[in-house]
Amino acid sequence: MSAAAAIRTAMPEAPAFKQGQSVRVLKVDAPGHIRTPRYIRGKNGVIERFVGFFKNPEELAYGRSGLPMRALYRVRFVQSHVWPDYRGAAADTIDIDLYEHWLQPAKTA
């Protein structure tokens, strides 16, 4: 199998989350090369957009193939929900690119 065919085989058919969907970042203290900032773990945000499918950089960092491909999203967070002492405008947000395996649907109250 060619490298291109292996990548196509390892690519999911569709992203799991939709634009506007509320998600929660997993609160995991994983060892090693992790692309998810510690300060955002356990926080709720909203999918701003689906960016695409990419090789997993957490695997690539160790010389592995990075497959299967992972969905990458831009997730928007309200800054005051990320940093309780934030003194900026209440509507201020921060966008962070996060891979799907770090996200789960947010629980609705």
Side-chain angles (χ1 to χ4, degrees):
M1 179 182 298
S2 71
I7 290 172
R8 280 192 302 277
T9 301
M11 189 176 304
E13 291 186 23
F17 300 107
K18 307 257 187 255
Q19 184 176 14
Q21 185 174 352
S22 294
V23 293
R24 182 171 186 82
V25 182
L26 296 177
K27 191 171 186 176
V28 176
D29 191 20
H33 179 80
I34 303 300
R35 299 285 305 213
T36 301
R38 188 173 308 278
Y39 65 84
I40 209 67
R41 297 177 198 173
K43 306 295 184 187
N44 287 350
V46 174
I47 300 293
E48 192 275 325
R49 77 178 71 162
F50 167 66
V51 179
F53 290 105
F54 299 91
K55 289 183 176 183
N56 182 353
E58 295 170 1
E59 293 292 318
L60 290 171
Y62 294 101
R64 299 182 194 125
S65 71
L67 299 175
M69 301 286 272
R70 301 288 185 151
L72 181 66
Y73 301 88
R74 179 152 306 140
V75 184
R76 182 163 289 159
F77 301 87
V78 175
Q79 291 215 46
S80 61
H81 295 176
V82 176
W83 296 286
D85 295 334
Y86 183 73
R87 295 181 190 267
D92 285 354
T93 60
I94 181 171
D95 289 3
I96 301 177
D97 290 347
L98 297 165
Y99 282 90
E100 187 172 279
H101 63 279
W102 276 93
L103 302 173
Q104 62 186 23
K107 294 181 181 171
T108 56

